[in-house]
Amino acid sequence: MPLKSDRNLVVGIYYHPEGYPPTLNAVAELSDCFDRITIIYRPNLIGTWKYPANVEAIPSGAYISSRNQENAPVRKKISFFFNFLRLFFKSCQKHKPGLVLLYDSMALYAYHLLRPFLTFDHKVWYHNHDVVEMKELRKYSIGWFAAKAEHKAFSYISIFSLPAEDRLPFFPIDRFAGRFFFIPNYPSRRFYSRFYIPRKLATSVKIIFQGRVGPYHGLEEIVPLLAETIENNYELELICKGFCAEEFRTSLLDLALRYGVKDKIRFEGLTPYNEVPRLSATCNIGIAIFTKNDVMNLTLGTASNKIYEYAAVGLPVIYNGSEHFTRYLGKYAWALPTEVTTEDIREKIARIIRDYDRLSAAAHQDFMQEVNFENGFAALKSFISVNGG
C-alpha cells in the first residue's frame, strides 16, 4: 500500500542527532517520504542544525554534556531515561506514527517498555550505529537492561539496518523476520557537495584527523614527520579535530616538544556538524587509522563517516592496511594503506604529494558517483515509499 501523505514518523535517539551525521542524512531523505517527522533525543550537544520544514526535534530535558551525563549519579541517570521515556510516549500517542524509528539500544529499550501501551497500528525500524558489548556494561545499569531487551525486540522489528554488514553476526538475526538493509555511513551529497573546491598543494601540507582524538590513530607516528620536509620542500602540519582527553593532548604535545614541532599541531575541539567540512576543506590529507582491537573498530570499513567525508572534500586518505579496511578501501586510488610506522606514513604522504591533483579529484568524483549517503539509502527509501515501512 503506498505511503499516505499524512503519515507520521517518530524517531528516538538516546543522544543528540548532530552527534551522528548519518542520522541527519537519513532524516533529510525521509522528509521526502513523510508528512511529519518528530525526533525525541537526549540533548548532549548544543544544536545548530537546520532540519527540513516538516521535521521537529524535541530534547528530553536541558542540555548536559555526554561526559557529565556519564558521570551523573544513578538516580539522575534514571531520571534522564524516564524523561526520555515519557516524552517519547507522549509523542507517539499524539502523532500515532505509522513507523517508529529507533537509533540505538537505549531508544529501543524505551520503546520496548512502552510497546504494550501503544494501541495504534505501526511498524518498527531499528538502526544500530554501534555494537554494544555486554562486557563493557555495568551489570544492572540501564544500558545493561537495554542490551538484554535488544535480543527480545528482534521478534517484532519490521526493518533492521546497519552501517556495516560485518556487524550482522553480533545481532540475533535468527529471531528476525523483517527486512534488513545495509546503509553505509557515507556523507550526503545534499550537504557536502557545496564544500569541494579544486585546489593546488601549497608548501605547507595540512594533515587532518577527525574523530575522537586519542591513541590508536597513528598520531604519535606522524608527529616526528612534522620536523621534516617531504619531497624536498613540503612541510607538514597536523590538525586534530574532535574531543581530546587532556591526558592524551598533554602526551602528544610533550612528544611534539621533543621534536621541536609544538607549533605545528593544532587541536580543534568539538564543533557543530555543519562546521566540520569547512575545516576539512582547508586541509590536504585525511588520516583514517583505526587500530584499536574492539568490535566497533574492527568493522569500520563502511561505518566510519569520517573516511568518506575526507573524500567528499577532495582529501586523499591514509588508512591502516588491515584486511578489513583494505577490503573496502583497496579499490580506491585516493585511499592508501599504511603499516602505521613513521617510515611508511612518510612514504604514503610523499606518494600523495607527487600525484595530489589526480588523487584529490578522484576522491571527490568517487564521492559524487558512489560513496554518498543518497546511493546507500536509496533501496530503503524506495521500500518505505512503497510499503510504508
Side-chain angles (χ1 to χ4, degrees):
M1 180 177 177
L3 189 69
K4 296 178 182 177
S5 61
D6 63 347
R7 285 292 296 273
N8 297 328
L9 169 69
V10 170
V11 180
I13 178 169
Y14 206 73
Y15 193 69
H16 200 297
E18 291 181 43
Y20 289 95
T23 296
L24 300 177
N25 298 338
V27 167
E29 292 298 301
L30 292 168
S31 69
D32 297 335
C33 304
F34 290 90
D35 191 56
R36 179 186 179 87
I37 299 176
T38 305
I39 307 171
I40 308 301
Y41 68 94
R42 283 295 303 145
N44 302 120
L45 298 171
I46 303 296
T48 61
W49 189 259
K50 291 185 178 180
Y51 294 94
N54 59 338
V55 177
E56 181 181 18
I58 306 173
S60 61
Y63 163 77
I64 180 173
S65 70
S66 56
R67 174 162 292 232
N68 287 344
Q69 180 169 309
E70 289 170 8
N71 294 331
V74 173
R75 66 180 182 278
K76 196 70 175 174
K77 291 181 179 179
I78 293 173
S79 173
F80 294 147
F81 182 72
F82 275 93
N83 283 341
F84 179 88
L85 190 74
R86 184 176 65 251
L87 186 58
F88 189 76
F89 180 68
K90 181 179 177 181
S91 296
C92 285
Q93 289 296 91
K94 178 180 179 180
H95 301 297
K96 295 180 172 50
L99 181 64
V100 174
L101 168 54
L102 307 159
Y103 260 110
D104 48 52
S105 61
M106 293 288 282
L108 181 62
Y109 182 44
Y111 171 82
H112 186 74
L113 295 173
L114 295 174
R115 180 176 170 81
F117 306 101
L118 300 177
T119 56
F120 54 91
D121 290 336
H122 63 283
K123 295 177 182 178
V124 180
W125 169 11
Y126 179 40
H127 180 89
N128 182 283
H129 282 297
D130 299 312
V131 175
V132 176
E133 296 187 73
M134 291 296 294
K135 65 182 180 181
E136 302 295 330
L137 300 172
R138 184 173 55 83
K139 197 171 185 179
Y140 303 126
S141 65
I142 298 175
W144 184 85
F145 281 112
K148 290 283 189 181
E150 183 183 72
H151 184 81
K152 298 177 183 177
F154 270 80
S155 62
Y156 58 70
I157 291 171
S158 301
I159 300 172
F160 177 49
S161 55
L162 289 170
E165 290 180 300
D166 300 276
R167 295 178 181 175
L168 264 175
F170 299 98
F171 295 90
I173 298 301
D174 57 314
R175 297 175 58 88
F176 178 57
R179 285 286 300 269
F180 170 75
F181 288 89
F182 165 49
I183 310 173
N185 280 349
Y186 298 151
S188 168
R189 273 194 314 246
R190 290 193 196 212
F191 178 57
Y192 255 85
S193 57
R194 74 190 80 164
F195 296 100
Y196 172 69
I197 302 174
R199 58 194 184 281
K200 301 288 184 180
L201 275 182
T203 54
S204 180
V205 176
K206 295 180 180 178
I207 301 171
I208 185 170
F209 172 77
Q210 291 178 191
R212 192 178 183 93
V213 181
Y216 305 106
H217 299 304
L219 303 179
E220 301 94 326
E221 286 78 12
I222 291 171
V223 167
L225 299 176
L226 305 182
E228 304 180 13
T229 56
I230 309 293
E231 290 295 291
N232 297 322
N233 65 334
Y234 289 96
E235 296 186 351
L236 306 179
E237 296 178 48
L238 176 62
I239 293 117
C240 300
K241 173 72 181 74
F243 173 80
C244 181
E246 191 58 38
E247 182 181 356
F248 182 79
R249 177 189 175 102
T250 300
S251 69
L252 200 65
L253 287 175
D254 285 346
L255 180 63
L257 196 61
R258 282 169 44 198
Y259 284 93
V261 294
K262 193 173 181 180
D263 61 332
K264 292 189 175 183
I265 298 181
R266 279 168 45 200
F267 289 89
E268 301 281 349
L270 286 171
T271 58
Y273 183 60
N274 55 18
E275 297 178 18
V276 170
R278 299 186 193 281
L279 175 63
S280 54
T282 68
C283 298
N284 307 108
I285 298 172
I287 296 299
I289 294 173
F290 304 94
T291 60
K292 194 173 181 180
N293 212 19
D294 59 9
V295 171
M296 188 183 76
N297 283 276
L298 290 173
T299 56
L300 277 177
T302 56
S304 173
N305 49 297
K306 280 85 174 172
I307 298 172
Y308 305 97
E309 287 171 358
Y310 295 143
V313 294
L315 270 60
V317 171
I318 296 175
Y319 69 95
N320 51 302
S322 67
E323 184 277 331
H324 169 75
F325 282 98
T326 302
R327 191 186 338 146
Y328 294 105
L329 296 172
K331 63 180 177 178
Y332 299 116
W334 47 267
L336 281 71
T338 177
E339 298 171 1
V340 198
T341 65
T342 295
E343 293 73 21
D344 191 60
I345 293 174
R346 179 194 295 112
E347 195 276 327
K348 296 306 186 295
I349 292 172
R351 189 185 302 179
I352 289 171
I353 288 173
R354 290 194 297 269
D355 198 14
Y356 191 80
D357 292 356
R358 182 182 73 87
L359 298 180
S360 176
H364 179 67
Q365 182 178 35
D366 282 339
F367 160 68
M368 292 297 290
Q369 295 180 352
E370 182 180 349
V371 289
N372 60 73
F373 188 83
E374 287 81 352
N375 279 356
F377 199 74
L380 196 152
K381 185 176 182 179
S382 176
F383 179 78
I384 287 176
S385 297
V386 172
N387 299 281

